[in-house]
Amino acid sequence: MKLAEALQERADLNQRLEQLRSRLNENALVQEGEEPAEDPLELLQELDNVSSRLEQLISMINLANANTKKDSITITEMIAKKDVLKVRIAILRDFLYSASATASRARNSEIRILSTVNVREKRKELDALSKQLRMIDNQIQELNWTTEI
């Protein structure tokens, strides 16, 4: 199984767990004399099975991420860098949006509002960070489809 396939299965299992949560809650109580739409004991057994498989997959994925390297950098390290870059880019993007806002003045004698940074330079920095994020994401995707677990 390729790492990418394991990641897809993990996503499917997480979705099934959420569906099981909902189905269990819908069948937790019934009116006296009524039967639940689904047998809660069967749903609980399915919950155990899905949870066990998910635990197994998460372990396999984490081990593969920690042991698979490209240019002496593990997938785990790449994911950490990617996550931090995403946050940094979002913060910088919001900051630049605020820094580039203009304030209208009715007269020249009114107070001028100026940006505290060179927005053009910071946008170039943002573009470079975005490119770095895309490149890391591409490397991770490549490794996901070539790594056997």
Side-chain angles (χ1 to χ4, degrees), residues 57-74:
L57 270 177
I58 289 171
S59 293
M60 292 168 53
I61 290 166
N62 288 346
L63 286 170
N65 286 345
N67 294 319
T68 304
K69 294 183 179 186
K70 181 173 184 173
D71 301 328
S72 74
I73 300 171
T74 66

Side-chain angles (χ1 to χ4, degrees), residues 1-3 6 57 60-61 64 147-149:
M1 167 186 280
K2 298 290 184 194
L3 181 54
L57 270 177
M60 292 168 53
I61 290 166
T147 301
E148 195 72 40
I149 61 171

Side-chain angles (χ1 to χ4, degrees), residues 48 100 114 144 148:
D48 288 344
S100 63
L114 302 174
N144 286 345
E148 195 72 40

Side-chain angles (χ1 to χ4, degrees), residues 16-145:
R16 277 184 60 198
L17 284 176
E18 284 307 311
Q19 291 169 349
L20 282 168
R21 174 196 311 265
S22 176
R23 290 166 58 196
L24 278 163
N25 288 334
E26 289 169 2
N27 291 285
L29 298 172
V30 293
Q31 186 174 345
E32 186 177 356
E34 296 287 322
E35 292 292 319
E38 295 183 83
D39 182 358
L41 297 177
E42 287 179 17
L43 293 174
L44 289 168
Q45 182 59 50
E46 186 177 351
L47 175 64
D48 288 344
N49 295 340
V50 171
S51 297
S52 294
R53 177 62 181 156
L54 181 60
E55 182 179 338
Q56 180 185 37
L57 270 177
I58 289 171
S59 293
M60 292 168 53
I61 290 166
N62 288 346
L63 286 170
N65 286 345
N67 294 319
T68 304
K69 294 183 179 186
K70 181 173 184 173
D71 301 328
S72 74
I73 300 171
T74 66
I75 295 176
T76 300
E77 293 168 311
M78 288 182 201
I79 291 170
K81 185 168 189 73
K82 176 184 166 183
D83 291 346
V84 170
L85 273 172
K86 279 182 176 180
V87 171
R88 188 172 170 198
I89 287 168
I91 292 170
L92 187 55
R93 187 172 286 132
D94 289 347
F95 171 70
L96 291 176
Y97 178 78
S98 296
S100 63
T102 57
S104 58
R105 299 184 313 162
R107 298 187 180 115
N108 281 343
S109 61
E110 290 184 19
I111 296 173
R112 289 180 47 193
I113 306 297
L114 302 174
S115 178
T116 57
V117 295
N118 183 327
V119 174
R120 181 176 292 144
E121 281 181 22
K122 290 295 176 188
R123 285 199 195 275
K124 287 180 183 178
E125 182 181 326
L126 177 63
D127 290 343
L129 290 173
S130 296
K131 181 179 180 181
Q132 188 179 4
L133 176 63
R134 285 189 306 275
M135 291 173 62
I136 289 172
D137 191 49
N138 288 343
Q139 288 177 346
I140 292 170
Q141 294 300 322
E142 176 187 340
L143 289 169
N144 286 345
W145 283 106

